[in-house]
Amino acid sequence: MTERQASARINRGSDTWSRIHAERAALAADLAGLTGQQFATPSLCTGLTVREVLAHLTAAASLNSWRWLAGVIRCGFDFDKQVTMRLNEQLGATAAETLDRFRGIVTSRTKPPLPTMAMLGETIVHGEDIRRPSDIRRTYPIETITQVARYYQGSDQVVVAKGRVRGLRLVANDGPFTTGSGPLVSGTTLALTMAMTGRTTYCDELKGDGVATLRERCAPA
């Protein structure tokens, strides 16, 4: 790798972290007025409440590679068990404490052994898991959401997305994102991203001959 390539890579990583921090700050601001009852609302992340998803985001921003590995070993290589354990560590005694803990990691660059872009994806997808059932809407910067969509269309890491859209042509109607070939699925970049990550609710916002296939693939196995 040349010095110029190394510098470009560093700049891209720094830009991604800036986007992550901006999205965390926006989410913290959006949740400032929620009641305890609203925090107890089921999120779009199956089996978790709004408050629990927020604690999960805090955990991810508090877990470096060594702590992640230690947790995996402690949980007998049961990754779901590790997620639950770390989530509970960050839940706190009240919803207010859960939010305060999240505010404390807004500018964190700590992460498990995942690409930085995956952390941005987690921030946006789980942010929507929280916002949608809380009746909160955010207009994301199109550059940010496009980057996330492009990441997921080529990755099955953390969440199956690449496999879910195989054989379909996805076209955003609000930005430059497009990928694949086959029956059309069209809609906003956000709706496409959320459907790619298995959120069936967002299929209602999509159009095209491929929507039924994508919806079926979003359904739990």
Side-chain angles (χ1 to χ4, degrees), residues 8 12 40-41 92-93 96 104 106-107 134 136 138 175 198 202 208 221:
R12 284 195 300 272
T41 301
V106 163
T107 60
S134 303
I136 298 170
R138 170 162 170 74
Y202 290 80

Side-chain angles (χ1 to χ4, degrees), residues 11-211:
N11 288 338
R12 284 195 300 272
S14 179
D15 177 71
T16 303
W17 277 117
S18 294
R19 294 179 189 277
I20 291 169
H21 296 160
E23 290 306 322
R24 288 173 179 164
L27 181 59
D30 282 347
L31 301 183
L34 258 61
T35 65
Q37 184 176 359
Q38 288 173 307
F39 272 106
T41 301
S43 74
L44 297 186
C45 193
T46 304
L48 298 182
T49 64
V50 163
R51 181 183 170 196
E52 287 168 336
V53 174
L54 190 65
H56 172 62
L57 285 172
T58 304
S62 309
L63 197 62
N64 61 26
S65 296
W66 289 110
R67 289 194 67 226
W68 177 86
L69 180 59
V72 168
I73 294 171
R74 178 179 171 185
C75 293
F77 293 88
D78 184 330
F79 295 98
D80 289 338
K81 185 177 180 181
Q82 144 117 311
V83 167
T84 300
M85 178 182 75
R86 297 304 188 187
L87 179 162
N88 286 331
E89 288 175 353
Q90 299 297 336
L91 200 58
T94 64
E97 186 175 346
T98 306
L99 181 55
D100 281 343
R101 291 188 179 195
F102 179 72
R103 289 184 177 124
I105 57 84
V106 163
T107 60
S108 170
R109 290 196 175 198
T110 301
K111 68 179 182 66
L114 293 172
T116 307
M117 188 57 67
M119 293 292 287
L120 178 58
E122 287 274 286
T123 304
I124 287 180
V125 171
H126 285 318
E128 282 297 297
D129 287 338
I130 289 169
R131 285 185 173 103
R132 181 55 64 99
S134 303
D135 200 26
I136 298 170
R137 297 293 184 267
R138 170 162 170 74
T139 301
Y140 295 89
I142 194 62
E143 298 86 356
T144 297
I145 198 68
T146 298
Q147 285 186 18
V148 172
R150 286 172 176 161
Y151 170 73
Y152 280 125
Q153 64 88 22
S155 176
D156 284 329
Q157 189 174 23
V158 182
V159 61
V160 173
K162 178 181 178 181
R164 186 172 278 120
V165 299
R166 185 175 290 114
L168 300 173
R169 181 164 66 97
L170 275 59
V171 178
N173 60 20
D174 62 345
F177 176 70
T178 180
T179 187
S181 61
L184 175 67
V185 180
S186 178
T188 65
T189 313
L190 177 63
L192 291 170
T193 299
M194 295 301 291
M196 270 194 280
T197 58
R199 276 61 178 180
T200 309
T201 299
Y202 290 80
C203 290
D204 295 340
E205 302 174 14
L206 301 174
K207 296 181 179 180
D209 294 339
V211 174

